[in-house]
Amino acid sequence: MNYTEAKQYLARHGQEHLLHFYDTLTPPQQESLLAQIAGLGLERPQFRDRNALTQKRGEFSPLGALTIEEIRKNEAKYREIGLRAIREAKVGAVLLAGGQGSRLGFEHPKGMFNMGRTRELYIFQCLIENLKRVTDEAQAYVPLLIMTSKQNNEETQAFFREHGYFGYSADNIDFFTQETEPAVDEDGKILMTAPDQIALLPNGNGGWFSSMQRAGLLEKVHSIGIEWLNVFAVDNVLQQIADPVFLGATIDSGCASGGKVVSKAAPDERVGVLCLEDGRPSIVEYFEMTDEMRTLRNPDGSLAYRFGVILNYLFRVDALTHTLNSDFPLYVAHKKIAHINADGVLVKPDKPNGYKFETLVLDMVHMQDSCLAFEVDRSREFAPVKNATGVDSVETAQALLEQNGVTL
């Protein structure tokens, strides 16, 4: 795309301001800006109406789970099925690590946060050590694909190199960056962070599979023969990765996907719940649930909508392919977005000033024909590090690590 084409393209969509500084840029900067403009996709509905692709929900109904008690009865069988799949190189893991630790008062990749008190114990280290327990048992490596963001990719990779990949095989770790979406102001105008840089922000964790494909890693997945991908979040330090029992149960069930769940602590706990939507597996967010759904109970007195997700999913690779061409629901987040003004001065707002667009991995579950809800003990597998203090904080996660025998 040349300058004239870019100017005409932007004019059609009311975004001509993106070329405001063009004449002040060096030729390489001009080329970079034109490339960014060419990739914007301004014909998409969200740039005409930012709520155009928001999710319209269907009819919800409860979905039962393979409970802890039921899992225990068949644990040996499930474990053997899972270990066999790992040894046959049919399993890969995908770590979603594109975020920063801003809510922790930590302006670096969240995985670099030190959870230790008397020693260094980084979030990334916790996760790698959890995975190593499985690979040591299987005596086989699980390829680990780590999704970073444009903002934290270099720092994340340098951190892993500096720490020797925490004892994991560097040959079995690949990094790829998350796709981005442009951020807009209150009037729908795309923001810029520098005269030659459009405000392109990570597009949410729903873009992990398409980002993998764009990075060429889907070819590697197929060449290895990986059939299952275990996708998990960076901020749960007790996250069990490539769990052979979870793998084995999901494979044995014949389901196209699986999701680890925990029993809700209370009807109003702020957690998404694995359920059915129009007969297909889905996740209903806590704020979408009616009072009736929150309090509905089974004949045995248990909550009907009780199985909360912890962002640990298994997907069959062949069942993911069709999602590459799917229109994901878009979630619009009102955020504080640093940008330059018309004079080129950097503005760091103290309140939300614009919108970013995100897709979520939970919508990939709804694109599957089936999903096994696999219940785990929250005290052993759910220690989220989301806040500096209070609920789901560094302190609560540290307490759970210690409770599980981890020295801090």
Side-chain angles (χ1 to χ4, degrees):
M1 177 177 280
N2 60 34
Y3 174 80
T4 301
E5 291 169 335
K7 188 173 182 179
Q8 293 171 346
Y9 175 59
L10 293 174
R12 288 197 300 271
H13 298 282
Q15 305 285 355
E16 305 97 311
H17 64 285
L18 296 181
L19 290 171
H20 179 71
F21 300 99
Y22 187 84
D23 291 338
T24 70
L25 303 178
T26 65
Q29 288 175 323
Q30 291 176 341
E31 186 177 341
S32 172
L33 180 58
L34 292 175
Q36 293 170 56
I37 292 169
L40 287 176
L42 294 177
E43 64 284 347
R44 290 177 296 165
Q46 66 262 38
F47 295 110
R48 296 191 300 272
D49 171 10
R50 62 173 166 262
N51 294 309
L53 289 182
T54 54
Q55 192 169 25
K56 295 174 177 62
R57 305 308 301 258
E59 183 176 339
F60 294 113
S61 56
L63 174 65
L66 191 64
T67 65
I68 291 172
E69 293 76 17
E70 292 167 328
I71 293 164
R72 199 169 288 134
K73 292 175 186 175
N74 294 290
E75 184 172 347
K77 180 182 81 169
Y78 295 151
R79 183 178 297 279
E80 186 51 42
I81 294 171
L83 288 172
R84 188 184 316 128
I86 292 170
R87 290 168 183 145
E88 293 175 355
K90 293 180 179 179
V91 182
V94 182
L95 167 56
L96 307 179
Q100 298 290 95
S102 305
R103 285 167 64 180
L104 307 179
F106 183 70
E107 297 303 323
H108 299 280
K110 182 179 273 190
M112 289 172 53
F113 187 82
N114 183 13
M115 298 295 296
R117 293 197 184 102
T118 63
R119 68 180 181 111
E120 292 180 340
L121 181 65
Y122 304 102
I123 290 178
F124 282 137
Q125 182 179 352
C126 291
L127 298 175
I128 294 294
E129 289 178 357
N130 293 347
L131 177 57
K132 281 175 62 181
R133 281 195 291 274
V134 172
T135 58
D136 287 349
E137 181 181 7
Q139 291 295 291
Y141 274 106
V142 171
L144 176 61
L145 313 174
I146 301 176
M147 186 175 79
T148 62
S149 64
K150 181 180 177 182
Q151 289 82 355
N152 76 8
N153 179 60
E154 289 185 11
E155 192 173 9
T156 299
Q157 292 203 44
F159 187 75
F160 269 88
R161 287 194 299 269
E162 179 187 343
H163 291 86
Y165 299 88
F166 301 103
Y168 207 70
S169 163
D171 292 338
N172 283 280
I173 295 180
D174 285 284
F175 296 88
F176 65 102
T177 55
Q178 185 174 1
E179 294 169 333
T180 59
E181 288 282 357
V184 301
D185 67 13
E186 305 279 1
D187 298 318
K189 299 293 186 182
I190 294 174
L191 294 166
M192 301 189 75
T193 57
D196 64 334
Q197 181 61 57
I198 294 169
L200 298 170
L201 303 181
N203 69 345
N205 55 34
W208 67 270
F209 194 61
S210 57
S211 297
M212 265 181 55
Q213 182 198 39
R214 180 172 292 186
L217 287 175
L218 199 49
E219 296 175 9
K220 181 170 184 175
V221 164
H222 290 315
S223 68
I224 293 172
I226 292 172
E227 297 178 3
W228 291 91
L229 288 172
N230 182 198
V231 185
F232 61 99
V234 71
D235 58 8
N236 176 6
V237 289
L238 288 181
Q239 196 85 271
Q240 300 304 302
I241 304 145
D243 173 359
V245 181
F246 180 34
L247 275 165
T250 305
I251 293 169
D252 188 64
S253 73
C255 290
S257 61
K260 284 199 170 187
V261 296
V262 294
S263 285
K264 289 173 64 174
D268 59 352
E269 183 178 5
R270 296 161 68 91
V271 62
V273 172
L274 195 55
C275 63
L276 294 174
E277 181 182 356
D278 296 334
R280 296 175 68 89
S282 191
I283 291 151
V284 57
E285 293 283 22
Y286 67 89
F287 54 83
E288 296 176 305
M289 297 180 72
T290 63
D291 289 339
E292 181 183 2
M293 291 171 68
R294 276 191 290 268
T295 58
L296 183 66
R297 294 189 179 271
N298 296 314
D300 64 1
S302 62
L303 290 170
Y305 291 90
R306 87 171 194 264
F307 294 113
V309 292
I310 61 172
L311 215 168
N312 187 318
Y313 301 108
L314 270 172
F315 290 103
R316 211 174 62 218
V317 173
D318 63 354
L320 279 176
T321 307
H322 73 281
T323 69
L324 291 170
N325 300 312
S326 298
D327 281 331
F328 275 70
L330 279 175
Y331 297 82
V332 183
H334 201 197
K335 296 283 189 179
K336 292 185 288 187
I337 303 168
H339 63 284
I340 57 169
N341 61 22
D343 297 320
V345 176
L346 183 64
V347 177
K348 293 186 176 181
D350 56 9
K351 62 180 181 179
N353 65 305
Y355 299 89
K356 64 176 292 192
F357 303 101
E358 296 181 333
T359 59
L360 299 180
V361 66
L362 58 85
D363 287 308
M364 298 185 84
V365 174
H366 192 45
M367 295 177 181
Q368 308 305 309
D369 292 330
S370 53
C371 182
L372 175 71
F374 181 94
E375 186 186 11
V376 298
D377 182 344
R378 66 189 300 150
S379 68
R380 299 184 63 182
E381 296 202 27
F382 191 45
V385 187
K386 296 185 180 296
N387 307 303
T389 59
V391 178
D392 294 342
S393 66
V394 175
E395 290 180 355
T396 59
Q398 285 174 327
L400 285 165
L401 282 168
E402 289 182 319
Q403 185 177 314
N404 282 274
V406 177
T407 301
L408 302 181

